[in-house]
Amino acid sequence: MTTNRSRSVFDFYGRPPLTRALPLSLQHILAMIMGTVTVPIIVAGTVGASSAETLLLIQISLLASGVSTLIQLYGVYRFGARLPTIFGVGFAYVPTLTAVGSQFGISGILGAQLIGGLAMLLVGVGIRPLRHLFPPVVAGVVVLVIGLSLYDIAIRYMAGGIGNPHFGEPAQWAVALVTLFVVLCISQFARGFMKLSAIVCGILVGYGLSLALGMVDFSPVHNASWFSAPQLMPFELTFPAAAVISMVIICVVNSVQTIGDLSATTIGGMNRELGEKELSGGLLGNGLCTLVGSLFGALPTSSYSQNVGIIAMTKVVSRTVLALAAVFMLLAGVIPKFGALMTTIPYPVLGGATITVFGMITMTGIQLLTRDELSSRNMTIASLALALSLGVYAAPEALDALPPMLKLAIGGSPVVVAAITAVTLNLLLPKRSLDDEHQERERIAAKMNDSDRQGSKSSGRTQSDTEAKSVSAR
């Protein structure tokens, strides 16, 4: 019994054989690799970095992803959640990074990031007295908005990726839909190990179709070197006040996303609530990686919601499986050709494979929301947070007249608006006492009983009338 448990992929401490763990780990690698690589490419384009600087940003982002994930899985002193979670350079920071980078360059980003990492550490240290600020209704709204805000990314991937000259062409959609079809069929009709590997199978089929259609570009593999070591302080660090304030805000708000993702991991993958020690360790580990990473040129790290979705969908929580993904990211960081091979997967393949994962994130947010009673107070918090965050996300030009500092902080991230709205309403709206709630339930139950009685009487009268008519007819 113990031996079977120790080899189970559904046990956090399980150590499944490599032949079983590696394909499951590959799903996490494929879900995170493009995001980890794409963010530094976007930032490099914003700051006008050279090709050598761009490659350096990509390399150190891969390394940061591997190191931060291992810290979260195994822990170092008080740092790390010790949960089945993947961390790395995330899209949540992109609006702030590009806004800061366009004004202050990469040095301004990294300098502000160092202070942002300190802010994360402070949040991690003081999270216990602040935990009441993030009940399930707040964490659920944040996770729900994260999932909803990822849909446009998935659709753009399915259409070929922004900047692709063939964006939206039938061939792009065909590859994406075939990939999605394979994922759906295997996840719904296959059994056992094959069912758990649905995303990998979909990507393999989509990649093969892409090769046949000539959509795969191997030039990144040819251009990448075989080995490259990280450097301390490859860029100068500067600390512009506007950049620091903006980065501190997004880092603190990202801590709310981390709370949501860690909660979604324990609920969706382990069927339990998140512990205080796990929460504090996760925030401290993320703050440490963000702070130290700035000294090596790595961009800020966050939890990967797409990987949370995979865990919720497959229930595979073995840290051995996730550690293999982290080791791969480390290898990809020191052997650029290794990572470059993964970047040859076309965007339509990734979009078709991950849109189901993004949907699972949304459903996990709904699951979190319903952990508490859907009272009128909680429904007000959730509905208003969703309306404001997604409304601003759909119409970003509505913020053009705001002060640049405020627009810089919230302009492109619906998660920021959702978190601020939900936390504020949770503090301001009065909570009903237990006696009030009990009386309300009794009142509703009494009304339902009265309604049932009236219905029974009405039914009895109808039956008597029918019998009388029958006798009269005779």
Side-chain angles (χ1 to χ4, degrees):
M1 185 74 176
T2 304
T3 304
N4 291 337
R5 178 178 172 81
S6 68
R7 295 171 68 84
S8 172
V9 297
F10 305 110
D11 175 18
F12 179 62
Y13 298 102
R15 296 182 179 180
L18 189 62
T19 54
R20 184 171 173 81
L22 194 58
L24 296 174
S25 179
L26 186 59
Q27 294 186 113
H28 288 284
I29 294 169
L30 295 175
M32 68 193 289
I33 185 74
M34 290 307 297
T36 306
V37 171
T38 302
V39 173
I41 290 175
I42 293 172
V43 173
T46 302
V47 302
S50 65
S51 57
E53 290 173 333
T54 302
L55 188 59
L56 177 61
L57 287 173
I58 294 173
Q59 171 201 345
I60 198 63
S61 292
L62 291 166
L63 286 170
S65 181
V67 171
S68 59
T69 298
L70 289 175
I71 289 175
Q72 297 294 344
L73 291 173
Y74 293 95
V76 178
Y77 184 50
R78 291 181 59 188
F79 301 94
R82 293 171 175 84
L83 287 174
T85 184
I86 295 287
F87 274 65
V89 176
F91 279 103
Y93 295 101
V94 167
T96 302
L97 293 177
T98 53
V100 171
S102 62
Q103 297 182 50
F104 308 108
I106 190 65
S107 62
I109 289 176
L110 297 176
Q113 176 185 324
L114 190 146
I115 307 300
L118 287 173
M120 281 186 178
L121 290 173
L122 292 175
V123 172
V125 170
I127 190 60
R128 288 188 180 181
L130 298 175
R131 182 69 186 274
H132 71 281
L133 299 177
F134 309 107
V137 64
V138 174
V141 166
V142 172
V143 175
L144 181 56
V145 171
I146 290 169
L148 294 174
S149 65
L150 288 171
Y151 290 163
D152 62 330
I153 295 174
I155 294 299
R156 290 191 184 104
Y157 275 20
M158 293 176 76
I162 296 297
N164 186 341
H166 304 291
F167 183 83
E169 291 184 358
Q172 308 289 323
W173 279 105
V175 170
L177 293 175
V178 167
T179 304
L180 175 59
F181 179 76
V182 173
V183 172
L184 285 175
C185 287
I186 294 178
S187 65
Q188 296 300 314
F189 301 109
R191 295 180 180 273
F193 179 72
M194 181 65 73
K195 183 182 182 73
L196 298 179
S197 304
I199 295 175
V200 173
C201 294
I203 288 177
L204 289 175
V205 172
Y207 193 80
L209 180 58
S210 301
L211 280 171
L213 295 175
M215 294 169 58
V216 180
D217 179 17
F218 288 104
S219 59
V221 181
H222 297 307
N223 296 333
S225 59
W226 281 103
F227 179 80
S228 181
Q231 308 170 32
L232 179 63
M233 298 286 289
F235 302 99
E236 180 187 1
L237 271 61
T238 58
F239 303 90
V244 169
I245 293 172
S246 300
M247 192 65 73
V248 166
I249 291 174
I250 191 62
C251 284
V252 171
V253 170
N254 185 261
S255 297
V256 179
Q257 176 182 337
T258 301
I259 293 171
D261 280 343
L262 293 178
S263 298
T265 297
T266 54
I267 291 173
M270 307 174 84
N271 197 31
R272 65 173 177 82
E273 292 284 354
L274 176 66
E276 286 189 359
K277 189 175 180 181
E278 294 168 334
L279 173 56
S280 177
L283 296 175
L284 288 172
N286 194 29
L288 178 67
C289 291
T290 297
L291 188 154
V292 175
S294 65
L295 302 177
F296 290 88
L299 298 174
T301 55
S302 66
S303 52
Y304 274 178
S305 300
Q306 59 266 38
N307 295 88
V308 174
I310 292 176
I311 290 169
M313 184 168 68
T314 64
K315 309 298 181 184
V316 174
V317 297
S318 168
R319 66 178 175 183
T320 299
V321 172
L322 279 74
L324 287 173
V327 170
F328 177 90
M329 301 302 279
L330 292 175
L331 290 174
V334 296
I335 308 175
K337 279 189 181 295
F338 200 38
L341 181 62
M342 303 302 295
T343 66
T344 62
I345 301 174
Y347 280 106
V349 177
L350 292 172
T354 58
I355 192 165
T356 55
V357 175
F358 296 161
M360 285 299 300
I361 296 171
T362 303
M363 297 310 298
T364 301
I366 294 174
Q367 187 179 11
L368 268 172
L369 273 173
T370 55
R371 300 287 287 193
D372 274 352
E373 179 192 8
L374 285 179
S375 62
S376 59
R377 177 184 183 274
N378 287 350
M379 289 179 68
T380 300
I381 294 172
S383 60
L384 192 54
L386 285 170
L388 289 175
S389 61
L390 297 178
V392 169
Y393 185 62
E397 67 277 3
L399 303 178
D400 288 345
L402 292 179
M405 189 76 67
L406 188 58
K407 183 182 176 183
L408 190 65
I410 67 174
S413 177
V415 179
V416 175
V417 180
I420 292 173
T421 304
V423 170
T424 303
L425 290 177
N426 182 56
L427 289 174
L428 295 180
L429 295 183
K431 297 181 181 179
R432 292 187 302 172
S433 66
L434 291 176
D435 290 339
D436 291 340
E437 292 181 3
H438 183 66
Q439 290 174 8
E440 178 70 14
R441 291 195 190 99
E442 287 185 340
R443 186 178 63 79
I444 294 173
K447 277 189 175 182
M448 293 178 66
N449 290 334
D450 289 342
S451 177
D452 290 341
R453 289 194 201 101
Q454 291 175 3
S456 298
K457 289 179 180 178
S458 175
S459 176
R461 285 195 299 269
T462 303
Q463 186 175 358
S464 299
D465 292 344
T466 304
E467 290 175 353
K469 287 179 182 178
S470 177
V471 171
S472 176
R474 290 198 204 97

